Amino acid sequence: DWRIAHFPPNLWFRDEDYAQSYDTVVGPFAGDWYDACMIYRDWATRQSWCAKGKTRDRKDIPEWSKYVPLHFYTQLGDSATGTNDIHENQRIAAADAAKWLTWSGSNLVFNWYGWSNPAAAGATENNWPGNSRRIRNRPGDRWTSFINRHSPFGNYPAQGALPEMAAIVETLRKSGGYVVPYLCATIYDDGSSENAPYAAKLKNGAARDLFGNVLFYENIGWNMCGWDSTWQQRLTEESVAVIRQEHVAGVYLDTIHGMCQPCYWTPHGHSAAGASCGTLGMHRLLEQVYAGVKKDFPDALLEGEDPAENMIDVQDNILYQRNMRVENKVPLFAAVYGDYIPRSSVGKIQLEDRFFYLECASMFVEGAQIGRLTLRPRPAAAVLDFDKPEHREHFTFLKQVIDYYKLESARRYLCLGQVLRPVSFLKPATMPTVSYASDETGETDSGATLAEAANSSFDVLQSGVFRAADGSTGIFLVNVGKEGIEYAFELKPYGEAAVRIAPDGGSTPIAGATVSGTLRPREITMYIVK
């Protein structure tokens, strides 16, 4: 099932002809998914969004962020650990983050949700922005009385941050912890009666339908048009202000995708809903924010949730949906763009043994940061606990990942290398598999639930192959199974001499034309091939 959608200028207007000004071409090719990616890569990497060059050469991407092994998130508006105090929840999250920093000895990124101060908003339904659209008032459950559980939705600094946030952020930074709070790029919370502080100024920038009605994003607020200069300025000001005042490491921008909500309000300067206004509008919006932030804070991180490829040049890191789906078992995006932009997951890692190791390995072998792992105060079932015996193997596995990221000899492949075709194994002759089911909910086009559609099996032996700038190859193998496994593959496709690299940096030369070995359960190993 495959389709392309075109958006003619002045969509739905009467008496408008449409002549497609470009070709849409479909044809066969010889090869597999990787060959298809290379055909596409040859075109894609010559487009404007790759003009800044590869990750290793881009000076706008903070150097510290290129080598982060793990990515975390927490929701401060969550009382799962027994408190209904958002201030106490932030302390809980900070304490958990500090444990991870001490244990890992590595730079880590923490996405902060729900960091705006409810006291500044007012607690009643008639006060901005604690209105009926933003309150989660379910007495007795973990969300009791929490408001604005994501962010101020365009109203910072008029709606301030939690009072202790700046101090907590600075403390974590001293240990290599980079707090990157959530902001929304296309939704503005206008308040219960358009009484939010910037509502009067921003209303003309809201996207509108064919009849001139303001478009809302679900029940949250106005859906803003990326073409509007007042919204571009507001989002830029908000991003710069939170970095300056709360001392955070950057901002995490949600809902940027590949195009704006189709908007019919032509005074914004675009066609009515059609042509390229959606994609250009979104890019213009992020271009303004990126330039504004980098002007004052060149080492700040801007990362975006689920963006299209045309947004690569206005971001430092991409949070995208993990590829663990039955219909998407190969790392297409990484194969095309792996050496052009760092990546992590927008989803959460499941902790059950049968899922955890496969999900982590699938990201590791495509050169993406493993994430997002969960911090308290999220529910205990979703949080790795240093004191739980059943989580010891999880930490042992992640320690191998972190150790490889600390090795310059490994991260020049993992973080900066071009993704190559996975290993074709000679042994085992029949590859064992592990079953997997997604935790996503909802329905597919066929009517099956996403969880049902995602039931699948994956190879126990996962591999990631990367080419470095000097032409050498780095090969990473991960055993995600509960049993040890013997393996073998030919050296010839990659080169003529190989060295096995342990997580601690120890090396063992490989003799002969075949690489072979044994991996213990949940063990990772690496080879460098000249």
Side-chain angles (χ1 to χ4, degrees):
D1 183 14
W2 181 81
R3 61 189 173 191
I4 286 181
H6 303 271
F7 292 79
N10 301 321
L11 199 63
W12 300 117
F13 280 31
R14 293 184 59 189
D15 302 323
E16 288 283 344
D17 292 331
Y18 175 58
Q20 187 170 298
S21 60
Y22 47 85
D23 293 330
T24 300
V25 181
V26 182
F29 71 98
D32 59 12
W33 68 269
Y34 188 79
D35 295 305
C37 284
M38 293 305 99
I39 294 169
Y40 190 73
R41 176 182 165 94
D42 180 60
W43 171 84
T45 54
R46 289 184 280 113
Q47 304 311 306
S48 59
W49 50 86
C50 289
K52 290 182 176 179
K54 297 183 178 183
T55 302
R56 68 171 185 263
D57 300 319
R58 282 184 61 172
K59 304 304 181 186
D60 54 334
I61 297 178
E63 199 66 17
W64 65 265
S65 72
K66 296 178 181 180
Y67 309 110
V68 172
L70 309 179
H71 210 100
F72 294 78
Y73 87 106
T74 188
Q75 173 55 267
L76 304 180
D78 188 333
S79 55
T81 54
T83 173
N84 287 96
D85 181 349
I86 198 167
H87 307 278
E88 179 61 24
N89 280 356
Q90 183 172 227
R91 297 177 200 124
I92 291 170
D96 204 23
K99 285 184 179 180
W100 278 97
L101 291 165
T102 300
W103 172 80
S104 69
S106 174
N107 290 342
L108 302 174
V109 171
F110 304 102
N111 290 149
W112 235 236
Y113 286 80
W115 51 272
S116 52
N117 188 1
T124 69
E125 194 166 312
N126 294 323
N127 291 339
W128 162 84
N131 58 68
S132 58
R133 292 203 307 275
R134 302 304 306 139
I135 286 182
R136 307 249 322 193
N137 188 11
R138 302 174 185 171
D141 80 358
R142 67 188 234 220
W143 302 102
T144 302
S145 297
F146 282 126
I147 62 176
N148 292 312
R149 67 188 191 92
H150 274 64
S151 81
F153 283 93
N155 285 306
Y156 183 89
Q159 183 186 358
L162 295 171
E164 298 175 21
M165 182 175 174
I168 284 173
V169 165
E170 288 194 295
T171 299
L172 292 175
R173 178 74 73 90
K174 292 174 183 177
S175 301
Y178 292 84
V179 174
V180 180
Y182 175 103
L183 288 179
C184 194
T186 61
I187 307 172
Y188 176 68
D189 183 358
D190 56 302
S192 55
S193 56
E194 299 184 4
N195 57 340
Y198 308 105
K201 181 179 179 181
L202 293 175
K203 187 169 185 179
N204 283 337
R208 296 174 185 260
D209 66 15
L210 185 62
F211 306 101
N213 301 308
V214 170
L215 292 169
F216 283 84
Y217 188 95
E218 297 177 353
N219 65 343
I220 297 173
W222 294 337
N223 211 324
M224 303 303 294
C225 178
W227 284 78
D228 181 65
S229 60
T230 56
W231 178 243
Q232 293 172 1
Q233 182 181 4
R234 172 85 284 272
L235 186 60
T236 302
E237 289 173 349
E238 185 176 45
S239 301
V240 170
V242 72
I243 294 170
R244 175 173 289 116
Q245 295 177 208
E246 311 307 330
H247 311 299
V248 294
V251 291
Y252 152 36
L253 296 175
D254 190 14
T255 66
I256 60 176
H257 312 309
M259 62 180 291
C260 303
Q261 168 74 36
C263 174
Y264 287 86
W265 198 248
T266 55
H268 291 158
H270 56 72
S271 159
S276 58
C277 67
T279 53
L280 290 180
M282 186 64 77
H283 193 278
R284 286 187 179 196
L285 173 63
L286 266 291
E287 194 175 357
Q288 295 298 314
V289 176
Y290 198 79
V293 168
K294 294 294 184 176
K295 176 178 175 291
D296 290 349
F297 302 99
D299 208 32
L301 178 74
L302 270 77
E303 55 185 11
E305 180 173 330
D306 259 357
E309 61 198 319
N310 64 304
M311 307 298 289
I312 285 175
D313 60 322
V314 288
Q315 292 179 94
D316 300 318
N317 187 56
I318 285 179
L319 296 170
Y320 62 170
Q321 296 293 340
R322 73 167 71 93
N323 64 326
M324 302 299 293
R325 284 273 198 85
V326 65
E327 74 277 16
N328 184 16
K329 296 174 72 170
V330 295
L332 300 178
F333 193 95
V336 177
Y337 294 116
D339 49 344
Y340 278 84
I341 185 104
R343 302 161 319 286
S344 184
S345 173
V346 73
K348 65 180 185 292
I349 298 291
Q350 301 180 85
L351 299 189
E352 296 94 328
D353 282 8
R354 61 199 177 110
F355 302 141
F356 176 82
Y357 300 102
L358 181 59
E359 289 183 353
C360 290
S362 74
M363 303 206 72
F364 177 74
V365 299
E366 66 174 77
Q369 302 164 9
I370 291 180
R372 288 183 296 174
L373 294 161
T374 310
L375 289 181
R376 292 178 173 81
R378 299 296 281 171
V383 177
L384 283 175
D385 192 325
F386 288 93
D387 298 323
K388 285 186 177 179
E390 61 267 33
H391 288 170
R392 286 174 187 165
E393 285 189 30
H394 295 63
F395 285 104
T396 299
F397 180 84
L398 292 177
K399 183 64 165 54
Q400 296 175 83
V401 170
I402 292 168
D403 285 346
Y404 275 121
Y405 268 80
K406 289 179 179 178
L407 294 177
E408 177 61 33
S409 59
R411 68 187 191 183
R412 68 193 186 107
Y413 300 101
L414 280 170
C415 307
L416 306 177
Q418 178 188 347
V419 175
L420 303 182
R421 190 189 306 275
V423 171
S424 295
F425 290 99
L426 300 172
K427 188 177 183 179
T430 302
M431 180 65 69
T433 60
V434 291
S435 61
Y436 176 82
S438 171
D439 66 342
E440 295 174 301
T441 58
E443 287 193 358
T444 65
D445 290 341
S446 66
T449 67
L450 288 173
E452 291 168 347
N455 286 324
S456 186
S457 60
F458 291 79
D459 290 348
V460 163
L461 199 54
Q462 296 281 303
S463 69
V465 184
F466 306 85
R467 179 186 290 123
D470 64 359
S472 63
T473 304
I475 300 173
F476 297 83
L477 306 181
V478 186
N479 177 10
V480 300
K482 294 186 289 186
E483 307 292 337
I485 189 168
E486 295 182 14
Y487 61 88
F489 61 90
E490 290 184 347
L491 184 58
K492 185 178 180 180
Y494 308 106
E496 298 182 358
V499 178
R500 185 172 180 174
I501 308 294
D504 64 2
S507 62
T508 305
I510 304 300
T514 302
V515 177
S516 61
T518 301
L519 280 179
R520 297 187 300 272
R522 283 74 189 250
E523 184 182 12
I524 304 174
T525 195
M526 175 195 178
Y527 294 91
I528 295 178
V529 184
K530 301 297 184 181

